[in-house]
Amino acid sequence: VLAQAPEDGDVSIVQNDSDGPSVEWFRDAKFGMFVHWGVSSQTGGQWRGENYYGITEWLWRRSEASREDYLGLLDTFDPQGFDADEWVSLAKEAGAKYIVVTAKHHDGVAMFDTDFSDYDVTDGAPFGRDPMKELSIAAEKEGIRLGFYYSQFQDWEHPDGGGNEWEYDPAGKDFSVYQQEKAIPQLDELLTNYGDVALIWFDTPGDSTLESARQFVDFVRERQPDTLISSRIGHGLGDYQNYRDSEIPVVHESSRPFEAIFPHNESWGYTALDTNFKSTTELLHILADVASKGGNFLLNVGPDGNGKIPEASVNRFREIGKWMDVNGESIYGTSASPFAPVPWGTVTQRDGAVYLHVLEAPASREIFLPSGDLNIRQAKLLATGKRLSVTTVEGGLKIGLPDDMPDSRNSVVALYHNDG
Ligand code: FHN
């Protein structure tokens, strides 16, 4: 039984369109909300008397249920509690600058109104609504960008799609039939009927060819030239770099911006079996760490079968938002640390400022920054505005911290300098 999905290992850079879309908004965004929601969310990992710990969005593959049984989940999909405004407000309150939602995951079920499959939650389920439409309206109203996750390779529902090898013999599959009949037409719908699409989050290219990947890229470019494409399209294509799930690079060396992708517990889709949610402290540390490498932190939520985001995730997102309200200056629009790793935390920077994210204040209440050539104008704690002392010492700077640091999870010291 799979407890973890095979991951995309393609972090190599081959080449990209030189005239691709601008990535500036993405580079500056730093924090996004990922949403994995589908018909399997109803089960919470408990189905037909079995418990499926871990990735519940893989329920069909893991159970190797028949198509009739799994797709039967559409007959009961009626999440009356779904409220697009609620999701979007939470993302906004948390300080997320973009949302990525599963328009179609590997099971092949469209979470939007499609004419190119019988399996969608609009005409194919009692729900009868189009959640992607409702989200696109809510996101536009709130001024937050919306992107769609679209599983371009794995489609367990389509006989020619990738992945379903327990019902369809791979030898008899013609991937191009699936791509022409379903994937491209559905992308057409997503890029035509839902306003501006910030990005298409393609996932796990499997053994799809360069030609197939290029066709997806060209199609997105043609429909919405500003829409970004994730590197999980494969073959070194894509406008930004995804690392493996839950991976933060030691150093990010590509000129493409990157995104570090984390589930909140051990599943992307909703699970009732796992309350091991990362604490706010852990999440704030990941946020600072990823920003110090120059990337975006994409944090997942898995709404349940009634469309509700688990309370634990709601609370953590709100707490991140409160932290962002006072410390956002040290995250948004910043770039990677120019310094060697420091033992007390991480560093971000922008023109004219360096931000010291103090994750563990030493008992000595003094931290060392390995750079002596900063011409410091002012040093202060972002949360309180309290001025701090800075002393030039051999090889760097010493910054004095107060005994009562404002936030034990991450107190940010801003160093404003004259070199920007
Ligand atoms: O197989 C998927 C998985 O279900 C989930 O969507 C993650 C999110 O990054 N992507 C794949 C595994 O890498």
Side-chain angles (χ1 to χ4, degrees):
V1 172
L2 283 167
Q4 270 212 317
E7 291 179 327
D8 165 59
D10 179 16
V11 292
S12 61
I13 311 292
V14 181
Q15 57 186 348
N16 221 345
D17 309 313
S18 52
D19 56 350
S22 165
V23 293
E24 284 321 300
W25 73 263
F26 185 85
R27 210 182 272 289
D28 291 345
K30 299 292 176 235
F31 184 43
M33 179 194 269
F34 208 179
V35 185
H36 275 70
W37 194 45
V39 292
S40 59
S41 305
Q42 289 171 91
T43 68
Q46 296 177 297
W47 195 43
R48 305 191 304 185
E50 298 273 340
N51 282 339
Y52 296 88
Y53 296 94
I55 49 174
T56 62
E57 72 284 2
W58 277 66
L59 182 73
W60 189 359
R61 163 79 178 78
R62 294 172 68 192
S63 64
E64 299 201 347
S66 69
R67 117 186 231 105
E68 199 187 357
D69 284 355
Y70 181 81
L71 293 170
L73 284 168
L74 271 159
D75 300 341
T76 49
F77 190 73
D78 193 17
Q80 289 304 324
F82 168 69
D83 179 348
D85 290 325
E86 205 171 88
W87 290 13
V88 172
S89 312
L90 180 65
K92 187 110 193 194
E93 198 182 331
K97 298 295 184 194
Y98 63 108
I99 300 173
V100 183
V101 59
T102 47
K104 189 201 80 172
H105 203 266
H106 306 332
D107 66 3
V109 175
M111 300 300 288
F112 59 99
D113 191 15
T114 179
D115 289 338
F116 296 93
S117 163
D118 293 335
Y119 306 104
D120 76 36
V121 297
T122 311
D123 309 313
F127 190 40
R129 287 160 51 189
D130 181 341
M132 299 303 113
K133 190 67 169 185
E134 293 178 26
L135 280 168
S136 68
I137 294 166
E140 201 193 339
K141 204 165 65 192
E142 283 286 350
I144 192 163
R145 292 174 197 262
L146 180 68
F148 294 126
Y149 173 110
Y150 191 88
S151 177
Q152 81 282 16
F153 174 68
Q154 298 204 59
D155 187 305
W156 302 333
E157 177 277 311
H158 196 287
D160 289 300
N164 185 343
E165 270 130 38
W166 60 99
E167 286 179 305
Y168 306 110
D169 178 2
K173 289 188 185 190
D174 182 349
F175 187 76
S176 68
V177 172
Y178 150 75
Q179 182 157 354
Q180 302 317 321
E181 277 183 359
K182 184 172 179 182
I184 292 283
Q186 287 196 332
L187 283 166
D188 195 4
E189 293 175 317
L190 289 169
L191 292 162
T192 306
N193 302 331
Y194 299 87
D196 290 342
V197 177
L199 56 90
I200 298 287
W201 215 96
F202 290 115
D203 197 0
T204 43
D207 59 6
S208 56
T209 61
L210 173 61
E211 191 193 350
S212 153
R214 275 238 169 262
Q215 197 194 7
F216 281 125
V217 171
D218 292 347
F219 189 79
V220 175
R221 296 281 192 258
E222 188 197 311
R223 284 293 184 271
Q224 288 206 26
D226 292 332
T227 301
L228 303 185
I229 292 170
S230 64
S231 68
R232 289 193 185 183
I233 188 69
H235 301 281
L237 298 171
D239 302 305
Y240 65 90
Q241 178 93 46
N242 305 106
Y243 281 88
R244 288 185 174 82
D245 294 348
S246 305
E247 180 182 358
I248 303 174
V250 178
V251 182
H252 176 67
E253 280 171 340
S254 157
S255 58
R256 289 192 289 189
F258 83 87
E259 193 178 53
I261 312 136
F262 283 79
H264 196 180
N265 51 10
E266 300 301 322
S267 177
W268 300 93
Y270 173 69
T271 172
L273 301 169
D274 176 359
T275 53
N276 190 24
F277 292 96
K278 291 174 190 68
S279 67
T280 311
T281 303
E282 285 173 272
L283 298 173
L284 289 176
H285 287 194
I286 294 171
L287 178 71
D289 192 5
V290 173
S292 79
K293 310 285 169 50
N296 293 353
F297 174 27
L298 186 65
L299 174 59
N300 186 69
V301 295
D304 65 19
N306 192 30
K308 293 295 180 200
I309 297 174
E311 211 40 45
S313 291
V314 171
N315 294 338
R316 309 297 202 281
F317 270 77
R318 290 203 173 124
E319 286 171 34
I320 291 173
K322 284 193 200 128
W323 185 89
M324 286 288 216
D325 284 346
V326 284
N327 296 291
E329 179 192 322
S330 67
I331 298 288
Y332 302 119
T334 59
S335 52
S337 169
F339 307 111
V342 287
W344 39 262
T346 60
V347 179
T348 53
Q349 62 161 342
R350 67 171 76 246
D351 275 357
V354 168
Y355 302 99
L356 315 181
H357 297 258
V358 184
L359 308 181
E360 281 183 54
S364 67
R365 287 305 192 244
E366 246 181 7
I367 53 173
F368 176 72
L369 184 69
S371 169
D373 52 14
L374 286 175
N375 181 6
I376 306 294
R377 194 160 43 75
Q378 195 196 109
K380 67 170 193 184
L381 279 167
L382 271 190
T384 59
K386 186 181 173 64
R387 298 289 176 93
L388 303 179
S389 66
V390 182
T391 323
T392 305
V393 292
E394 170 88 39
L397 301 172
K398 268 205 170 144
I399 298 103
L401 303 175
D403 285 338
D404 53 338
M405 290 289 272
D407 194 325
S408 60
R409 304 165 306 182
N410 181 359
S411 294
V412 180
V413 175
L415 301 180
Y416 299 108
H417 59 84
N418 296 317
D419 306 334

